[in-house]
Amino acid sequence: MDIKRILQKHGFYFKKAYGQNFLTDEFLLDDIVTSAGITKEDTVIEIGCGAGTLTRAIAKHAGKVIGYEIDTKLTGILDEMLSDFDNVEIVFEDIMKQNIAEIEKNFSAGYYVVANLPYYITTPILMKFLEESKYVKGLVVTVQKEVALRLSAKENTADYGAITAMINLVGDAYLIKHIGREQFLPPPSVDSAVVKIVLNRDKFKLKSVETYREMVKIAFGNRRKTLCNNLMNSLKIARAQAEDILTSCDIDLLARGETLSAEKFVILSDYVYELRRKNG
Ligand code: SAH
């Protein structure tokens, strides 16, 4: 498949603003889909189809593919690239403007997201699916290497951050493959990696997602401060009260946000939630 020639034939030019960096190596693309564990039983949503190279690889393995692409200039190219497949539907829409519940009406049996994401909106896209989706079973996404390290980080490391704590609440993330910048057309200024996020919504029983999100935000609000100081500043409470909360949750008074596992964040947010309920 000579992508360059097809793009040229259709007079296509790359738009940086849309994060257009295409993957062309068929072995690599196949490898990504295989690592997602996609079978003919599965429905896959792809975000940002580009020239449809990954879309083709997904379509070979999956039962059905629904691809979202913002750039209508790719219409002719996608038509040509996907003409051998009858299990692909392309929707020319901005994924960020879609209502996930609406998309999921037909996929309540579960589906996967497989994508080489547009990097300028990696986090918003992931958060949208993690927070709004009821039926996504897993996401296999190519992202900037630094983001991949963040997503799959363990607590107590510099890479562990708010997004890690949000992912770990509903699942687990694994870095499964590094992809050098030279693999993309055109090559971006960063290296990439493939991350697999496996959803497990029953992992924790949580009283309030809002409070969890709030605690994560507070804990990473100022990484150089202790969690105790961040709680005092954000909740506008006295040191004694912040210390009381931490002691009740069995969290070290000198701990920083990045030392808290999702399990600890659940304990902390449930405690604060109950405290507020009791105090009215
Ligand atoms: N999957 C292709 C292209 C990846 S580049 C490949 O691997 O080769 C990212 C793609 O996302 C681009 O085609 C870009 O136009 C598209 N895109 C960017 N923002 C988008 C949005 N908000 N909604 C849907 N697609 C978007």
Side-chain angles (χ1 to χ4, degrees), residues 12 15 17-24 29 46-55 68-71 74 91 93-97 115-121 125 142 184-185:
F12 180 78
K15 292 176 204 67
Y18 283 157
Q20 291 178 338
N21 299 97
F22 299 166
L23 285 170
T24 56
L29 291 159
E46 188 196 0
I47 300 153
C49 302
T53 51
L54 180 57
T55 322
Y68 283 84
E69 174 53 59
I70 198 169
D71 187 357
L74 288 160
V91 185
E93 294 280 358
D94 178 345
I95 190 67
M96 291 311 294
K97 294 196 179 137
N116 168 19
L117 289 176
Y119 291 1
Y120 72 104
I121 43 170
I125 291 175
T142 304
F184 294 83
L185 183 73

Side-chain angles (χ1 to χ4, degrees), residues 258-272:
E258 72 227 42
T259 64
L260 265 63
S261 62
E263 191 179 359
K264 274 288 175 203
F265 271 117
V266 169
I267 293 171
L268 175 64
S269 72
D270 278 359
Y271 186 82
V272 170

Side-chain angles (χ1 to χ4, degrees), residues 153-272:
K154 293 277 168 280
E155 57 267 20
N156 263 317
T157 64
D159 287 324
Y160 187 75
I163 184 134
T164 331
M166 292 310 297
I167 287 178
N168 288 352
L169 174 65
V170 291
D172 296 283
Y174 311 92
L175 195 158
I176 53 175
K177 192 181 185 61
H178 286 275
I179 302 180
R181 62 192 75 184
E182 72 286 349
Q183 294 275 4
F184 294 83
L185 183 73
S189 54
V190 293
D191 289 316
S192 294
V194 182
V195 173
K196 182 173 188 169
I197 302 172
V198 182
L199 274 284
N200 173 10
R201 291 183 180 77
D202 303 326
K203 200 172 165 188
F204 297 110
K205 267 215 172 80
L206 177 70
K207 294 193 170 159
S208 153
V209 183
E210 286 72 32
T211 314
Y212 183 96
R213 200 182 298 127
E214 183 191 353
M215 291 304 119
V216 168
K217 200 171 162 203
I218 290 174
F220 292 104
N222 190 335
R223 286 185 83 108
R224 287 156 64 178
K225 288 196 173 146
T226 60
L227 177 58
C228 188
N229 277 326
N230 278 330
L231 281 174
M232 285 166 59
N233 293 339
S234 303
L235 300 179
K236 309 218 181 321
I237 55 176
R239 176 167 301 277
Q241 207 185 342
E243 290 188 349
D244 194 43
I245 293 173
L246 294 177
T247 308
S248 305
C249 297
D250 201 18
I251 297 170
D252 193 296
L253 297 183
L254 295 175
R256 281 166 213 282
E258 72 227 42
T259 64
L260 265 63
S261 62
E263 191 179 359
K264 274 288 175 203
F265 271 117
V266 169
I267 293 171
L268 175 64
S269 72
D270 278 359
Y271 186 82
V272 170

Side-chain angles (χ1 to χ4, degrees), residues 3 26 35-36 79 87-88 91 111 115 118 120 125 131 174 191 252 270 280:
I3 300 301
E26 284 183 41
S35 62
D79 275 351
N87 59 342
V88 182
V91 185
Y111 66 95
Y120 72 104
I125 291 175
E131 292 187 344
Y174 311 92
D191 289 316
D252 193 296
D270 278 359

